[in-house]
Amino acid sequence: MEESRPVLMEVTRLWKTYGAGDARVHALRDVSLAIRGGEFVAVMGPSGSGKSTLMNILGCLDRPTRGSHRLLGAEVSELSASRLAEVRNRTIGFVFQAYNLLPRTSALANVQLPLLYAGAPRRELRRRAAAALARVGLQARAQHLPSELSGGQQQRVAIARAIVNRPRVILADEPTGNLDTRTSIEILKLFQELGAAGITIVYVTHEPDVARYASRIVVVRDGEIAEDRPQAPAVARPSLEPAS
Ligand code: ADP
Ligand code: MG
């Protein structure tokens, strides 16, 4: 990655410790990592190695025990709660393994939620949510409930929700963990398209087959970064069947 790209998020000598005394767990130990604009990063590592802890701190969903965490150059611990919420909502979209959609609410209404939080004008909500759903190929499913959608479609709704505020970064924690291989590759293809459109992508996966699509691999082991290297990304090919 070119050094000229701006650093969007950075942790330096970061520690995260849970519990106390004999029950103390160092989930992250002295981790330093910078994510630059335009990167496409796969975070790998065994279960319990600290991947989610790292993602949650990068996403400002959790706070470090010690060390520095910067978002767009600002030290996160020095931001007021309201300023942090504003910067986070504008900068970061989240995608989770379990989709985390509201069950009794249509795809369109799920995608509108972050716009409501961001205080977008009401007339804009529907238009922008519909555009985000179209971006992930689900315009025809806008009125469906999550239970009426396949796992891959639900995850695409979650991705539409993640991009509706036009974030600079998507943080995705095992986004394909509940999906079969073919569907996983469709999700990675979508990430590659979003990446080509300028969104920075950081995603966690256990699976080498899913990590192949990234241009940088970060391996976390026992709370430390064990490897951090560029790779030539595979190009995700779409299936020939209609995606929706
Ligand atoms: P991964 O996502 O790589 O599976 P995690 O970041 O979830 O790993 O967890 C890293 C370590 O921190 C594990 O040992 C886990 O048990 C511990 N841990 C994570 N969250 C908590 C918590 N809220 N309280 C106590 N320990 C935790
Ligand atoms: Mg995890």
Side-chain angles (χ1 to χ4, degrees):
M1 185 51 53
E2 298 160 45
E3 294 295 309
S4 60
R5 306 255 191 135
V7 173
L8 299 181
M9 13 181 79
E10 184 168 30
V11 297
T12 309
R13 309 214 60 175
L14 185 94
W15 290 74
K16 180 67 183 184
T17 305
Y18 291 111
D22 288 349
R24 205 158 68 145
V25 175
H26 295 297
L28 295 174
R29 309 163 180 262
D30 208 26
V31 166
S32 296
L33 182 74
I35 306 292
R36 290 175 182 273
E39 288 201 283
F40 199 107
V41 185
V43 178
M44 303 191 72
S47 181
S49 58
K51 305 181 297 297
S52 292
T53 303
L54 178 61
M55 295 291 276
N56 290 344
I57 290 174
L58 286 173
C60 311
L61 301 177
D62 199 357
R63 292 190 167 248
T65 306
R66 189 155 26 115
S68 163
H69 169 211
R70 289 176 172 270
L71 178 60
L72 304 184
E75 187 64 42
V76 169
S77 64
E78 293 169 4
L79 298 175
S80 68
S82 60
R83 176 82 182 128
L84 174 57
E86 183 201 322
V87 176
R88 188 184 62 200
N89 290 342
R90 197 157 40 71
T91 310
I92 303 171
F94 294 96
V95 177
F96 302 97
Q97 178 172 359
Y99 323 132
N100 297 7
L101 301 176
L102 295 182
R104 279 177 246 294
T105 305
S106 70
L108 188 72
N110 268 283
V111 175
Q112 286 181 14
L113 272 184
L115 294 169
L116 281 175
Y117 297 141
R122 284 214 150 258
R123 65 182 185 289
E124 283 262 300
L125 296 178
R126 176 172 276 269
R127 187 183 65 73
R128 285 178 56 187
L133 273 179
R135 186 76 188 77
V136 302
L138 285 180
Q139 58 275 50
R141 296 288 189 279
Q143 298 306 330
H144 288 231
L145 297 176
S147 60
E148 298 167 339
L149 300 171
S150 70
Q153 289 171 338
Q154 289 181 63
Q155 192 60 298
R156 283 193 283 143
V157 173
I159 293 167
R161 182 184 56 189
I163 61 175
V164 76
N165 270 331
R166 304 192 188 102
R168 296 174 73 167
V169 187
I170 288 178
L171 296 179
D173 195 349
E174 303 207 35
T176 64
N178 290 349
L179 302 175
D180 62 38
T181 304
R182 202 198 73 169
T183 310
S184 298
I185 288 166
E186 285 174 1
I187 295 295
L188 266 294
K189 177 176 184 325
L190 179 55
F191 280 167
Q192 286 192 331
E193 289 169 7
L194 296 172
I199 300 182
T200 302
I201 312 272
V202 184
Y203 66 105
V204 173
T205 182
H206 296 294
E207 297 186 45
D209 271 356
V210 174
R212 292 168 58 219
Y213 300 98
S215 55
R216 177 180 175 190
I217 303 283
V218 172
V219 180
V220 181
R221 218 171 271 140
D222 291 331
E224 295 180 303
I225 294 189
E227 278 179 63
D228 184 353
R229 58 183 162 80
Q231 80 173 353
V235 176
R237 296 194 191 291
S239 66
L240 293 174
E241 293 157 64
S244 52

